[in-house]
Amino acid sequence: MTIPADRKYTESHEWVRVEADGTVAVGITDFAQDALGDIVFVELPKVGASLAAGKDCCVIESVKAAGDVYAPVAGEVVAVNDAVVDAPDSINAGAFDAWLFKLKPANAADVDALMSAEAYAKNIG
């Protein structure tokens, strides 16, 4: 399993990639999508929603289970990826390519406090 080094990670298996404009793209890790199995439904947060760090903000359902996605940092949703709503299986095809939503962090330094790829690899064993 590849864990891209250009991202930060959460214990609840979200990845965070800092974009050129200072926003962050958020998705789920390959570990999470593998645990869920074949993803059949994604419900994303609304653009403009204010999210609190660690709180559930969207739902991913698979043929096996439903799982919550948690906001990695506090911030405002500035974009959602409608392509994953239309084709939820795209997350299975490439979890690190299929971002779910983008946030404008309330505090950019909070992103730095998330796990590195190396720390996340140790966390999942």
Side-chain angles (χ1 to χ4, degrees):
M1 177 182 342
T2 304
I3 302 172
D6 67 341
R7 297 159 204 226
K8 294 289 193 168
Y9 299 88
T10 67
E11 287 187 17
S12 53
H13 311 292
E14 290 84 19
W15 59 258
V16 176
R17 180 182 66 220
V18 178
E19 306 289 88
D21 63 1
T23 62
V24 294
V26 178
I28 64 168
T29 65
D30 197 43
F31 181 88
Q33 74 78 25
D34 188 53
L36 282 167
D38 293 331
I39 295 171
V40 296
F41 176 78
V42 177
E43 181 181 323
L44 300 175
K46 302 282 186 227
V47 171
S50 183
L51 304 181
K55 299 295 182 186
D56 60 322
C57 58
C58 58
V59 176
I60 295 180
E61 293 182 12
S62 72
V63 293
K64 291 198 288 187
D68 290 325
V69 175
Y70 301 93
V73 295
E76 178 186 344
V77 177
V78 294
V80 295
N81 187 354
D82 290 324
V84 298
V85 173
D86 296 338
D89 58 329
S90 65
I91 299 169
N92 292 114
F96 289 110
D97 298 322
W99 60 276
L100 302 175
F101 59 93
K102 292 185 180 180
L103 278 177
K104 179 180 178 186
N107 182 358
D110 291 346
V111 175
D112 294 333
L114 299 173
M115 285 188 277
S116 66
E118 183 178 282
Y120 181 69
K122 287 180 184 174
N123 186 57
I124 61 174

